[in-house]
Amino acid sequence: MPDVAANTSLPIVSTDVLDRRWIDVNIPCQAACPIMTDVPGYIEAILNADFETAYRINRLDNIFPGVLGRVCHRPCESACRHGREGLGEPVQICFLKRSASDFGMKPVDLDIDANGKSVCIIGAGPSGLTAANDLAILGYQVTVFEQYEEAGGMMRYGIPEFRLPYDIVRRDVKSITDLGVEIRTNTRIDSWEALDKVKKEYDAVIVSGGCMLPTRLDLPGLESDGVYWGLDFMMRSNRETLGIHPKNVVVIGGGFTALDCARTSYRIGAASTTIAYRRTREYMSFSGEAELEHLHEEGIRL
Ligand code: SF4
């Protein structure tokens, strides 16, 4: 590993061994975070008005703080001690992450020793970009092939811009290209021949093509005109290839994609939008009251 601490006050990747058991018992928010972000550490930095340190602490575990500061489903907040009965409301950990990114993001200044090896990554979504980030820091020459016009994968094309502005995705992606990673957009590898060619040109290839296929429902009529799979609907909307002006929309499902489809329908002029979910409201997998308020304000029926 390069001596990444040499020219910054904090390293850019964490190699610390965490005492998972201790964290589980003592820091419920950090234990609840899927990537175990050092929540107390970055909140303390914000308390000291040191947003740059707060950003860097976040980036140790998560290279997309701008994105997650807006769209994480924030399990850390439901685990927060301050939200326990009689103690008030949980700390707004996710929005604090957003402020760390918005006010503290600085270009990463890092001396990297090239190791002379090259890696090609197919797919510039979250996993491909994370691999690119970590390999670049280790000294590999990394090239990422992306089939669409822009990098970001699900962050760029699966989430509507009113929830996650495209510029925020671009900013987090830039923190990776700043490390010397090259991203070739509009470059699709879709045959064994193309893959063989890439394998000959690079020392290693990582296939990181995403999970774009929907879980299919067993319902008659799903192939009819005017019926879309949720993710396909969002991809077309974000690529401006939707080309429809729906009047009445029904969205089947109870997760974030269902909400995004419903709220996007409202924005493209649907006269009425209804979300149909097979169980009761408390089983819907979005975060909570804020989302319900948005639906109410936009006249979307549940
Ligand atoms: S907002 Fe998400 S990424 Fe950030 S600490 Fe909470 S769970 Fe982890």
Side-chain angles (χ1 to χ4, degrees):
M1 289 283 291
D3 181 8
V4 290
N7 54 3
T8 57
S9 53
L10 267 174
I12 192 171
V13 284
S14 172
T15 51
D16 291 350
V17 178
L18 295 176
D19 183 344
R20 174 77 214 223
R21 169 96 186 112
W22 190 88
I23 289 174
D24 278 352
V25 171
N26 293 290
I27 318 180
C29 53
Q30 185 170 359
C33 171
I35 41 178
M36 295 194 75
T37 304
D38 177 6
V39 175
Y42 82 77
I43 292 181
E44 189 176 353
I46 290 173
L47 189 66
N48 295 326
D50 185 354
F51 288 90
E52 189 175 345
T53 297
Y55 169 76
R56 294 188 69 90
I57 290 172
N58 268 285
R59 206 185 185 286
L60 292 175
D61 301 305
N62 145 34
I63 58 171
F64 305 108
V67 170
L68 281 168
R70 287 165 171 82
V71 299
C72 183
H73 69 295
R74 39 191 198 273
C76 53
E77 293 183 13
S78 6
C80 174
R81 276 187 234 275
H82 291 277
R84 290 186 189 161
E85 206 176 332
L87 293 181
E89 297 292 320
V91 174
Q92 301 263 292
I93 298 168
C94 185
F95 286 146
L96 287 170
K97 180 188 308 297
R98 173 175 168 168
S99 71
S101 166
D102 289 359
F103 302 129
M105 187 178 196
K106 292 273 180 336
V108 175
D109 177 19
L110 190 64
D111 290 329
I112 295 174
D113 293 329
N115 65 17
K117 304 255 189 231
S118 63
V119 179
C120 169
I121 299 175
I122 300 171
S127 67
L129 291 173
T130 303
N133 178 82
D134 293 1
L135 289 167
I137 290 170
L138 289 170
Y140 291 88
Q141 179 60 49
V142 182
T143 308
V144 185
F145 289 173
E146 165 56 42
Q147 65 171 330
Y148 292 135
E149 304 81 14
E150 287 202 63
M154 213 55 98
M155 300 181 289
R156 170 61 180 79
Y157 293 107
I159 299 175
E161 192 180 18
F162 61 83
R163 233 167 37 88
L164 179 57
Y166 301 150
D167 274 350
I168 298 297
V169 180
R170 289 180 192 126
R171 236 169 42 130
D172 279 355
V173 170
K174 183 173 178 302
S175 80
I176 300 158
T177 52
D178 281 349
L179 298 170
V181 171
E182 181 194 355
I183 301 178
R184 292 188 199 163
T185 53
N186 294 312
T187 306
R188 184 178 165 90
I189 305 296
D190 56 4
S191 67
W192 291 114
E193 292 74 27
L195 186 59
D196 278 342
K197 188 162 174 286
V198 168
K199 275 160 64 183
K200 287 190 187 107
E201 287 174 22
Y202 294 86
D203 293 305
V205 178
I206 296 175
V207 179
S208 179
C211 307
M212 310 303 284
L213 295 179
T215 307
R216 300 185 76 86
L217 293 180
D218 186 17
L219 283 177
L222 287 181
E223 306 309 326
S224 319
D225 281 352
V227 179
Y228 296 87
W229 295 104
L231 199 49
D232 185 40
F233 182 84
M234 288 314 311
M235 300 281 289
R236 288 174 191 234
S237 166
N238 280 320
R239 297 187 68 217
E240 297 181 12
T241 59
L242 197 51
I244 55 165
H245 303 285
K247 285 199 190 112
N248 302 309
V249 176
V250 172
V251 179
I252 300 173
F256 277 102
T257 304
L259 261 63
D260 287 345
C261 290
R263 298 186 66 204
T264 299
S265 301
Y266 166 78
R267 281 164 178 74
I268 59 175
S272 93
T273 304
T274 304
I275 295 178
Y277 179 57
R278 68 195 158 123
R279 289 188 283 189
T280 49
R281 192 173 291 181
E282 59 271 23
Y283 289 100
M284 297 179 88
S285 61
F286 55 79
S287 298
E289 289 306 311
E291 283 79 10
L292 287 175
E293 264 174 45
H294 294 316
L295 295 184
H296 183 68
E297 281 163 10
E298 293 167 10
I300 296 166
R301 289 193 302 157
L302 200 55

Short mmCIF file of all heavy atoms in Angstrom, two decimals, residues 63-115:
data_model
loop_
_atom_site.label_atom_id
_atom_site.label_comp_id
_atom_site.label_asym_id
_atom_site.label_seq_id
_atom_site.Cartn_x
_atom_site.Cartn_y
_atom_site.Cartn_z
N ILE A 63 -17.30 5.72 -0.86
CA ILE A 63 -16.74 6.72 -1.78
C ILE A 63 -17.82 7.59 -2.42
O ILE A 63 -17.52 8.40 -3.28
CB ILE A 63 -15.87 6.05 -2.87
CG1 ILE A 63 -16.69 5.04 -3.66
CG2 ILE A 63 -14.64 5.41 -2.26
CD1 ILE A 63 -15.96 4.50 -4.87
N PHE A 64 -19.07 7.43 -1.97
CA PHE A 64 -20.16 8.25 -2.53
C PHE A 64 -20.91 9.00 -1.42
O PHE A 64 -22.14 8.86 -1.29
CB PHE A 64 -21.15 7.36 -3.29
CG PHE A 64 -20.54 6.52 -4.37
CD1 PHE A 64 -20.40 5.15 -4.21
CD2 PHE A 64 -20.09 7.10 -5.55
CE1 PHE A 64 -19.83 4.37 -5.21
CE2 PHE A 64 -19.51 6.33 -6.56
CZ PHE A 64 -19.38 4.96 -6.38
N PRO A 65 -20.22 9.80 -0.62
CA PRO A 65 -20.94 10.48 0.47
C PRO A 65 -22.02 11.45 -0.03
O PRO A 65 -23.07 11.59 0.60
CB PRO A 65 -19.85 11.25 1.22
CG PRO A 65 -18.56 10.67 0.77
CD PRO A 65 -18.79 10.13 -0.60
N GLY A 66 -21.77 12.10 -1.17
CA GLY A 66 -22.78 13.02 -1.71
C GLY A 66 -24.06 12.28 -2.08
O GLY A 66 -25.17 12.75 -1.84
N VAL A 67 -23.89 11.10 -2.67
CA VAL A 67 -25.05 10.29 -3.07
C VAL A 67 -25.76 9.76 -1.83
O VAL A 67 -26.97 9.94 -1.65
CB VAL A 67 -24.58 9.12 -3.98
CG1 VAL A 67 -25.72 8.13 -4.20
CG2 VAL A 67 -24.06 9.65 -5.31
N LEU A 68 -25.00 9.11 -0.94
CA LEU A 68 -25.65 8.49 0.22
C LEU A 68 -26.22 9.52 1.18
O LEU A 68 -27.18 9.24 1.90
CB LEU A 68 -24.67 7.55 0.93
CG LEU A 68 -24.54 6.21 0.21
CD1 LEU A 68 -23.37 5.42 0.75
CD2 LEU A 68 -25.80 5.39 0.33
N GLY A 69 -25.64 10.71 1.19
CA GLY A 69 -26.19 11.78 2.03
C GLY A 69 -27.57 12.22 1.55
O GLY A 69 -28.23 13.02 2.22
N ARG A 70 -27.99 11.72 0.40
CA ARG A 70 -29.32 12.06 -0.12
C ARG A 70 -30.25 10.85 -0.22
O ARG A 70 -31.44 10.98 0.02
CB ARG A 70 -29.19 12.72 -1.50
CG ARG A 70 -28.66 14.13 -1.39
CD ARG A 70 -28.18 14.67 -2.71
NE ARG A 70 -27.86 16.09 -2.59
CZ ARG A 70 -26.71 16.55 -2.12
NH1 ARG A 70 -25.76 15.73 -1.73
NH2 ARG A 70 -26.51 17.85 -2.02
N VAL A 71 -29.71 9.70 -0.58
CA VAL A 71 -30.64 8.59 -0.88
C VAL A 71 -30.42 7.34 -0.03
O VAL A 71 -31.09 6.33 -0.27
CB VAL A 71 -30.59 8.21 -2.38
CG1 VAL A 71 -31.01 9.37 -3.25
CG2 VAL A 71 -29.22 7.70 -2.78
N CYS A 72 -29.53 7.38 0.94
CA CYS A 72 -29.39 6.20 1.80
C CYS A 72 -30.72 5.97 2.53
O CYS A 72 -31.41 6.93 2.90
CB CYS A 72 -28.28 6.42 2.83
SG CYS A 72 -28.02 4.95 3.85
N HIS A 73 -31.09 4.72 2.76
CA HIS A 73 -32.34 4.49 3.49
C HIS A 73 -32.12 4.58 5.00
O HIS A 73 -33.02 4.31 5.77
CB HIS A 73 -33.00 3.17 3.07
CG HIS A 73 -32.27 1.95 3.48
ND1 HIS A 73 -31.02 1.63 3.00
CD2 HIS A 73 -32.58 0.97 4.36
CE1 HIS A 73 -30.62 0.49 3.56
NE2 HIS A 73 -31.53 0.08 4.38
N ARG A 74 -30.94 4.99 5.40
CA ARG A 74 -30.54 5.41 6.75
C ARG A 74 -30.97 4.49 7.91
O ARG A 74 -31.61 4.95 8.86
CB ARG A 74 -30.97 6.85 7.02
CG ARG A 74 -32.30 7.30 6.48
CD ARG A 74 -32.48 8.80 6.58
NE ARG A 74 -33.86 9.19 6.46
CZ ARG A 74 -34.49 9.42 5.32
NH1 ARG A 74 -33.84 9.34 4.19
NH2 ARG A 74 -35.75 9.76 5.32
N PRO A 75 -30.57 3.23 7.86
CA PRO A 75 -30.84 2.36 9.00
C PRO A 75 -30.15 2.84 10.28
O PRO A 75 -30.58 2.52 11.38
CB PRO A 75 -30.30 1.00 8.56
CG PRO A 75 -29.34 1.28 7.45
CD PRO A 75 -29.85 2.52 6.79
N CYS A 76 -29.08 3.65 10.12
CA CYS A 76 -28.39 4.20 11.30
C CYS A 76 -29.35 5.03 12.15
O CYS A 76 -29.25 5.04 13.38
CB CYS A 76 -27.21 5.06 10.84
SG CYS A 76 -27.70 6.32 9.65
N GLU A 77 -30.28 5.74 11.49
CA GLU A 77 -31.16 6.63 12.25
C GLU A 77 -32.19 5.85 13.05
O GLU A 77 -32.54 6.24 14.16
CB GLU A 77 -31.83 7.64 11.30
CG GLU A 77 -30.80 8.60 10.71
CD GLU A 77 -31.39 9.67 9.82
OE1 GLU A 77 -32.62 9.85 9.82
OE2 GLU A 77 -30.61 10.32 9.11
N SER A 78 -32.67 4.73 12.49
CA SER A 78 -33.63 3.96 13.31
C SER A 78 -32.92 3.31 14.50
O SER A 78 -33.56 2.97 15.49
CB SER A 78 -34.38 2.90 12.50
OG SER A 78 -33.93 2.79 11.22
N ALA A 79 -31.58 3.14 14.39
CA ALA A 79 -30.85 2.53 15.52
C ALA A 79 -30.37 3.57 16.53
O ALA A 79 -29.93 3.21 17.62
CB ALA A 79 -29.64 1.76 14.98
N CYS A 80 -30.47 4.84 16.18
CA CYS A 80 -29.89 5.91 17.02
C CYS A 80 -30.51 5.91 18.42
O CYS A 80 -31.73 5.87 18.58
CB CYS A 80 -30.13 7.26 16.34
SG CYS A 80 -29.63 8.67 17.32
N ARG A 81 -29.65 6.00 19.44
CA ARG A 81 -30.12 6.00 20.83
C ARG A 81 -31.08 7.16 21.11
O ARG A 81 -31.98 7.03 21.93
CB ARG A 81 -28.93 6.24 21.76
CG ARG A 81 -28.14 5.04 22.13
CD ARG A 81 -27.14 5.49 23.18
NE ARG A 81 -25.79 5.13 22.80
CZ ARG A 81 -25.25 3.96 23.05
NH1 ARG A 81 -25.94 3.05 23.65
NH2 ARG A 81 -24.03 3.70 22.68
N HIS A 82 -30.85 8.30 20.45
CA HIS A 82 -31.68 9.47 20.74
C HIS A 82 -33.13 9.26 20.33
O HIS A 82 -34.00 10.01 20.75
CB HIS A 82 -31.11 10.70 20.02
CG HIS A 82 -29.80 11.13 20.60
ND1 HIS A 82 -29.70 11.92 21.71
CD2 HIS A 82 -28.53 10.83 20.23
CE1 HIS A 82 -28.43 12.12 22.00
NE2 HIS A 82 -27.69 11.46 21.12
N GLY A 83 -33.37 8.27 19.50
CA GLY A 83 -34.74 8.01 19.08
C GLY A 83 -35.47 7.04 19.99
O GLY A 83 -36.64 6.73 19.75
N ARG A 84 -34.80 6.55 21.01
CA ARG A 84 -35.47 5.57 21.87
C ARG A 84 -36.56 6.23 22.70
O ARG A 84 -36.53 7.44 22.93
CB ARG A 84 -34.44 4.89 22.78
CG ARG A 84 -33.54 3.98 21.96
CD ARG A 84 -32.60 3.18 22.80
NE ARG A 84 -31.65 2.50 21.92
CZ ARG A 84 -30.49 2.01 22.31
NH1 ARG A 84 -30.12 2.12 23.57
NH2 ARG A 84 -29.70 1.41 21.45
N GLU A 85 -37.47 5.41 23.16
CA GLU A 85 -38.65 5.93 23.84
C GLU A 85 -38.28 6.89 24.97
O GLU A 85 -37.42 6.59 25.80
CB GLU A 85 -39.46 4.76 24.41
CG GLU A 85 -40.91 5.13 24.54
CD GLU A 85 -41.73 3.95 25.00
OE1 GLU A 85 -41.33 2.81 24.73
OE2 GLU A 85 -42.75 4.21 25.65
N GLY A 86 -38.88 8.06 24.93
CA GLY A 86 -38.65 9.05 25.99
C GLY A 86 -37.43 9.91 25.76
O GLY A 86 -37.16 10.84 26.51
N LEU A 87 -36.65 9.62 24.70
CA LEU A 87 -35.41 10.39 24.49
C LEU A 87 -35.51 11.38 23.33
O LEU A 87 -34.56 12.09 23.04
CB LEU A 87 -34.24 9.42 24.24
CG LEU A 87 -33.84 8.55 25.43
CD1 LEU A 87 -32.68 7.66 25.07
CD2 LEU A 87 -33.49 9.41 26.63
N GLY A 88 -36.61 11.37 22.62
CA GLY A 88 -36.77 12.36 21.54
C GLY A 88 -36.60 11.74 20.17
O GLY A 88 -36.98 10.60 19.93
N GLU A 89 -36.00 12.52 19.26
CA GLU A 89 -35.88 12.12 17.86
C GLU A 89 -34.46 11.65 17.56
O GLU A 89 -33.50 12.15 18.17
CB GLU A 89 -36.17 13.33 16.95
CG GLU A 89 -37.57 13.89 17.07
CD GLU A 89 -38.61 12.92 16.53
OE1 GLU A 89 -38.33 12.31 15.49
OE2 GLU A 89 -39.66 12.77 17.17
N PRO A 90 -34.29 10.71 16.62
CA PRO A 90 -32.93 10.31 16.24
C PRO A 90 -32.16 11.47 15.60
O PRO A 90 -32.75 12.37 15.03
CB PRO A 90 -33.14 9.19 15.22
CG PRO A 90 -34.57 9.22 14.84
CD PRO A 90 -35.32 9.99 15.87
N VAL A 91 -30.84 11.42 15.71
CA VAL A 91 -29.99 12.40 15.04
C VAL A 91 -30.16 12.21 13.52
O VAL A 91 -30.27 11.08 13.03
CB VAL A 91 -28.51 12.17 15.45
CG1 VAL A 91 -27.58 13.08 14.65
CG2 VAL A 91 -28.35 12.40 16.95
N GLN A 92 -30.17 13.31 12.78
CA GLN A 92 -30.35 13.25 11.32
C GLN A 92 -29.00 12.92 10.66
O GLN A 92 -28.36 13.77 10.02
CB GLN A 92 -30.89 14.58 10.82
CG GLN A 92 -32.22 14.97 11.45
CD GLN A 92 -33.39 14.59 10.59
OE1 GLN A 92 -33.59 15.16 9.53
NE2 GLN A 92 -34.17 13.62 11.02
N ILE A 93 -28.59 11.69 10.85
CA ILE A 93 -27.24 11.28 10.45
C ILE A 93 -27.03 11.41 8.93
O ILE A 93 -25.98 11.85 8.46
CB ILE A 93 -27.00 9.82 10.91
CG1 ILE A 93 -27.09 9.74 12.44
CG2 ILE A 93 -25.65 9.31 10.42
CD1 ILE A 93 -27.16 8.32 12.98
N CYS A 94 -28.06 11.05 8.18
CA CYS A 94 -27.92 11.05 6.72
C CYS A 94 -27.71 12.49 6.20
O CYS A 94 -26.82 12.73 5.38
CB CYS A 94 -29.16 10.42 6.09
SG CYS A 94 -29.04 10.22 4.32
N PHE A 95 -28.51 13.43 6.70
CA PHE A 95 -28.34 14.81 6.23
C PHE A 95 -27.02 15.40 6.70
O PHE A 95 -26.45 16.28 6.05
CB PHE A 95 -29.52 15.67 6.68
CG PHE A 95 -30.78 15.39 5.90
CD1 PHE A 95 -32.02 15.48 6.50
CD2 PHE A 95 -30.72 15.03 4.57
CE1 PHE A 95 -33.19 15.21 5.78
CE2 PHE A 95 -31.88 14.76 3.84
CZ PHE A 95 -33.11 14.85 4.45
N LEU A 96 -26.51 14.92 7.85
CA LEU A 96 -25.18 15.38 8.28
C LEU A 96 -24.11 14.90 7.30
O LEU A 96 -23.15 15.60 6.99
CB LEU A 96 -24.89 14.90 9.70
CG LEU A 96 -25.68 15.63 10.79
CD1 LEU A 96 -25.53 14.93 12.13
CD2 LEU A 96 -25.24 17.08 10.90
N LYS A 97 -24.30 13.68 6.79
CA LYS A 97 -23.37 13.18 5.76
C LYS A 97 -23.43 14.08 4.52
O LYS A 97 -22.42 14.41 3.92
CB LYS A 97 -23.76 11.75 5.38
CG LYS A 97 -22.87 11.12 4.31
CD LYS A 97 -23.42 9.79 3.82
CE LYS A 97 -23.71 8.83 4.92
NZ LYS A 97 -22.53 8.44 5.67
N ARG A 98 -24.65 14.48 4.17
CA ARG A 98 -24.81 15.37 3.02
C ARG A 98 -24.05 16.68 3.24
O ARG A 98 -23.36 17.17 2.35
CB ARG A 98 -26.31 15.65 2.82
CG ARG A 98 -26.61 16.68 1.77
CD ARG A 98 -28.11 16.79 1.57
NE ARG A 98 -28.43 17.96 0.77
CZ ARG A 98 -29.63 18.18 0.26
NH1 ARG A 98 -30.60 17.34 0.44
NH2 ARG A 98 -29.85 19.26 -0.45
N SER A 99 -24.14 17.23 4.46
CA SER A 99 -23.43 18.49 4.71
C SER A 99 -21.92 18.27 4.68
O SER A 99 -21.17 19.12 4.20
CB SER A 99 -23.88 19.11 6.04
OG SER A 99 -23.39 18.34 7.12
N ALA A 100 -21.46 17.10 5.15
CA ALA A 100 -20.02 16.80 5.10
C ALA A 100 -19.55 16.82 3.66
O ALA A 100 -18.48 17.36 3.33
CB ALA A 100 -19.74 15.45 5.74
N SER A 101 -20.37 16.26 2.76
CA SER A 101 -19.98 16.22 1.36
C SER A 101 -20.11 17.60 0.71
O SER A 101 -19.22 18.06 -0.01
CB SER A 101 -20.87 15.21 0.63
OG SER A 101 -20.74 15.36 -0.75
N ASP A 102 -21.23 18.27 0.97
CA ASP A 102 -21.47 19.56 0.29
C ASP A 102 -20.48 20.63 0.72
O ASP A 102 -20.07 21.46 -0.09
CB ASP A 102 -22.90 20.05 0.57
CG ASP A 102 -23.95 19.20 -0.15
OD1 ASP A 102 -23.55 18.26 -0.87
OD2 ASP A 102 -25.15 19.46 0.01
N PHE A 103 -20.09 20.61 2.00
CA PHE A 103 -19.20 21.68 2.49
C PHE A 103 -17.75 21.23 2.64
O PHE A 103 -16.87 22.07 2.77
CB PHE A 103 -19.70 22.21 3.84
CG PHE A 103 -21.11 22.75 3.80
CD1 PHE A 103 -22.05 22.32 4.71
CD2 PHE A 103 -21.49 23.66 2.83
CE1 PHE A 103 -23.36 22.80 4.67
CE2 PHE A 103 -22.79 24.15 2.78
CZ PHE A 103 -23.73 23.71 3.70
N GLY A 104 -17.51 19.91 2.65
CA GLY A 104 -16.15 19.47 2.99
C GLY A 104 -15.41 18.73 1.90
O GLY A 104 -14.25 18.36 2.07
N MET A 105 -16.07 18.51 0.74
CA MET A 105 -15.42 17.71 -0.29
C MET A 105 -14.27 18.49 -0.93
O MET A 105 -14.45 19.62 -1.37
CB MET A 105 -16.43 17.35 -1.37
CG MET A 105 -15.90 16.39 -2.39
SD MET A 105 -17.21 16.02 -3.55
CE MET A 105 -16.55 14.59 -4.33
N LYS A 106 -13.10 17.87 -0.94
CA LYS A 106 -11.93 18.49 -1.58
C LYS A 106 -11.30 17.43 -2.48
O LYS A 106 -11.38 16.24 -2.17
CB LYS A 106 -10.89 18.90 -0.52
CG LYS A 106 -11.33 20.03 0.39
CD LYS A 106 -10.97 21.36 -0.26
CE LYS A 106 -11.36 22.59 0.53
NZ LYS A 106 -12.40 22.58 1.48
N PRO A 107 -10.64 17.84 -3.58
CA PRO A 107 -9.98 16.84 -4.41
C PRO A 107 -8.98 16.04 -3.59
O PRO A 107 -8.30 16.59 -2.72
CB PRO A 107 -9.27 17.67 -5.48
CG PRO A 107 -9.94 18.99 -5.46
CD PRO A 107 -10.47 19.20 -4.07
N VAL A 108 -8.95 14.75 -3.85
CA VAL A 108 -8.04 13.88 -3.11
C VAL A 108 -6.61 14.10 -3.61
O VAL A 108 -6.35 14.00 -4.80
CB VAL A 108 -8.45 12.41 -3.30
CG1 VAL A 108 -7.44 11.49 -2.65
CG2 VAL A 108 -9.84 12.19 -2.73
N ASP A 109 -5.72 14.42 -2.69
CA ASP A 109 -4.33 14.69 -3.05
C ASP A 109 -3.51 13.49 -2.61
O ASP A 109 -3.27 13.30 -1.42
CB ASP A 109 -3.90 15.97 -2.33
CG ASP A 109 -2.45 16.28 -2.59
OD1 ASP A 109 -1.91 15.75 -3.57
OD2 ASP A 109 -1.86 17.05 -1.81
N LEU A 110 -3.10 12.66 -3.55
CA LEU A 110 -2.53 11.38 -3.16
C LEU A 110 -1.39 11.00 -4.10
O LEU A 110 -1.54 11.06 -5.32
CB LEU A 110 -3.66 10.34 -3.27
CG LEU A 110 -3.43 8.96 -2.72
CD1 LEU A 110 -3.23 9.02 -1.21
CD2 LEU A 110 -4.67 8.11 -3.02
N ASP A 111 -0.25 10.65 -3.54
CA ASP A 111 0.85 10.12 -4.36
C ASP A 111 0.65 8.62 -4.50
O ASP A 111 0.64 7.90 -3.51
CB ASP A 111 2.20 10.37 -3.67
CG ASP A 111 2.55 11.84 -3.70
OD1 ASP A 111 2.13 12.52 -4.66
OD2 ASP A 111 3.20 12.30 -2.75
N ILE A 112 0.47 8.17 -5.74
CA ILE A 112 0.24 6.74 -5.95
C ILE A 112 1.44 6.17 -6.70
O ILE A 112 1.85 6.71 -7.72
CB ILE A 112 -1.06 6.52 -6.76
CG1 ILE A 112 -2.27 7.01 -5.95
CG2 ILE A 112 -1.23 5.06 -7.14
CD1 ILE A 112 -3.58 6.98 -6.70
N ASP A 113 1.98 5.07 -6.19
CA ASP A 113 3.07 4.39 -6.90
C ASP A 113 2.47 3.40 -7.90
O ASP A 113 1.85 2.41 -7.49
CB ASP A 113 3.95 3.61 -5.91
CG ASP A 113 4.69 4.56 -4.99
OD1 ASP A 113 4.99 5.68 -5.45
OD2 ASP A 113 4.94 4.19 -3.83
N ALA A 114 2.64 3.69 -9.20
CA ALA A 114 2.10 2.78 -10.21
C ALA A 114 2.79 1.42 -10.11
O ALA A 114 4.01 1.35 -9.89
CB ALA A 114 2.30 3.37 -11.60
N ASN A 115 2.02 0.34 -10.22
CA ASN A 115 2.63 -0.99 -10.13
C ASN A 115 2.81 -1.65 -11.50
O ASN A 115 3.21 -2.81 -11.59
CB ASN A 115 1.84 -1.89 -9.18
CG ASN A 115 0.43 -2.17 -9.70
OD1 ASN A 115 0.15 -1.96 -10.88
ND2 ASN A 115 -0.45 -2.64 -8.83
#
